[in-house]
Structures are given as C-alpha cells and as structure tokens.
Amino acid sequence: QQQVKQSPQSLIVQKGGISIINCAYENTAFDYFPWYQQFPGKGPALLIAIRPDVSEKKEGRFTISFNKSAKQFSLHIMDSQPGDSATYFCAARLYNFNKFYFGSGTKLNVKP
Amino acid sequence: NAGVTQTPKFQVLKTGQSMTLQCAQDMNHNSMYWYRQDPGMGLRLIYYSASEGTTDKGEVPNGYNVSRLNKREFSLRLESAAPSQTSVYFCASRGYKGSDYGYTFGSGTRLTVV
C-alpha cells in the first residue's frame, strides 16, 4: 500500500508552459512534505519543501500548493524549461518515526 | 564538499554471490538511509540508522543487512544475491539544506544480479 500517491506518471509540457504534479496522502501523521528532482544517472536532490501550516511556498519558478483538508499537495513549475526535464518525487515525513515515504515519481519532459 | 559518496557505481553479481555497498557522508548528519529504486515503484526504504549504533528495518529489508560503522559510514550487505535485488540503490543522510530539511542522496549504485 503506497502511503503517498503521485500523478501523473509522465508529463510532456511545451517550453514556457506550466508543469503540475500532484500528490495525495491519507495518513494525518505526516508533518513535512518535500519534493525531489532527479536527473538521469543521478541521485534525487531536494528541491523545495512545505509544512502543513502553510498553504503555499514559492522558490523561483517552483511553487508547492498544499491543501490540508483534502490531504493533497502539488508542485507547479512556471515557465518550464528543457533543463527542468527530470523525474520528480513527492515525499511525506512520518514525524514519530522520522521516516520519509516517497511517491512513485513523475517523468517530466519539457519540449523546446 | 562531497556530501554522500557511494561505491561502487556499477556492479554485476551472479545469483548467490555476496557484496557490500559502501556509503559515507561528510555533513555530520546523525541519520542515514538505504533506499532502492525500481521503475514505477519510487524509492523504497530498506534500512535506516537514526544515529550511530542503531539500525532499523524499513519497508523492504528481506535479503539485506546493514552496519553503521561510525557516524560517517553506513554499509548495505547482500548475503546471497537474487535477481529480484536487481535495482538502483541509493544511500542518503538527513539534515538541513539551506532552510529546507530532507535527504541528501548519493549518486547511486546500479546493481544487476544475473
């Protein structure tokens, strides 16, 4: 049973467009929600993260939107660039056990 | 500033062989983790070490053992490799990166068991 469900599995966006990746969870004990970016042949790298007391966090072209009541959060990439082409993972931390659970990943392809 | 270093980067094993994957971090983090990554499965936790001297099972520990040698090093051992253990293995340590808190991952070990 996957603790964090991520969609879509793959995404194609034109350069300059908005990329949106969604994640959902059920366990209300999750208390921290990071996103990771992974390029081929590399390990995932922490991109941006949010705590549930905040509805939105923005860093440059990357924004996390968080809906606590719906138990959903999403990553928005504004003005998407070919260099953003990568696999993106959402994650959630189970506070009492200090473990992170990952979504299944979204492969983003930004067309020039 | 190396971060998390994993060795080897690639390995091919025959069924039944054993091997140890090495991991070291230089960020003075207390917690370290081993994940495996398979297509469509995301990252699944094998074992973790919350602090030096402690280890705990994750979601998929069967067929693996770990050793937290010291604060810097956390190794993963496959005692008798099976084709189902063909995967990409990532070591990670946990701490702050700027203002965000999360994992720093190594570059991975690509393991094939034939």
Side-chain angles (χ1 to χ4, degrees):
Chain A
Q1 177 186 348
Q2 193 132 29
Q3 297 262 9
V4 181
K5 295 183 180 179
Q6 184 173 346
S7 63
Q9 188 173 0
S10 62
L11 183 61
I12 299 174
V13 173
Q14 290 296 126
K15 179 182 175 182
I18 302 173
S19 304
I20 302 174
I21 304 169
N22 300 300
C23 285
Y25 64 97
E26 288 296 326
N27 193 336
T28 56
F30 288 141
D31 73 333
Y32 189 69
F33 302 89
W35 284 88
Y36 289 82
Q37 180 187 54
Q38 184 181 28
F39 293 105
K42 304 292 185 183
L46 181 61
L47 185 63
I48 186 173
I50 197 167
R51 299 184 190 278
D53 55 347
V54 175
S55 61
E56 186 175 280
K57 181 175 181 181
K58 184 176 180 179
E59 289 185 0
R61 296 184 294 108
F62 299 91
T63 300
I64 300 179
S65 297
F66 188 84
N67 186 329
K68 189 174 182 178
S69 60
K71 289 184 277 187
Q72 295 175 349
F73 58 109
S74 59
L75 176 70
H76 295 235
I77 306 174
M78 312 301 286
D79 187 25
S80 299
Q81 299 296 313
D84 298 329
S85 297
T87 299
Y88 293 81
F89 293 95
C90 61
R93 182 180 73 173
L94 194 60
Y95 176 73
N96 286 344
F97 296 93
N98 224 348
K99 292 182 192 177
F100 284 84
Y101 291 88
F102 286 83
S104 55
T106 296
K107 188 172 184 179
L108 172 65
N109 186 6
V110 181
K111 296 283 192 183
Chain B
N1 189 8
V4 177
T5 302
Q6 287 184 240
T7 56
K9 293 189 182 302
F10 301 93
Q11 184 71 49
V12 178
L13 289 179
K14 293 182 179 179
T15 299
Q17 286 185 319
S18 63
M19 78 162 295
T20 299
L21 281 63
Q22 306 288 350
C23 175
Q25 53 96 5
D26 62 0
M27 296 171 288
N28 201 35
H29 290 165
N30 287 320
S31 299
M32 296 184 73
Y33 303 79
W34 277 104
Y35 281 86
R36 60 178 289 173
Q37 184 176 31
D38 302 290
M41 301 292 290
L43 291 149
R44 293 182 293 169
L45 181 63
I46 305 171
Y47 270 93
Y48 68 103
S49 171
S51 61
E52 187 178 353
T54 69
T55 60
D56 285 287
K57 295 178 180 179
E59 302 169 69
V60 289
N62 292 342
Y64 306 96
N65 283 301
V66 290
S67 296
R68 183 72 182 268
L69 305 171
N70 47 56
K71 190 171 185 179
R72 291 187 63 250
E73 298 173 286
F74 187 39
S75 63
L76 178 72
R77 183 161 178 83
L78 286 70
E79 292 291 350
S80 179
S84 61
Q85 294 178 304
T86 294
S87 187
V88 181
Y89 292 85
F90 288 100
C91 176
S93 66
R94 179 171 57 82
Y96 278 93
K97 179 184 176 183
S99 62
D100 286 329
Y101 182 81
Y103 292 147
T104 298
F105 283 91
S107 57
T109 296
R110 283 146 186 80
L111 175 67
T112 302
V113 182
V114 297

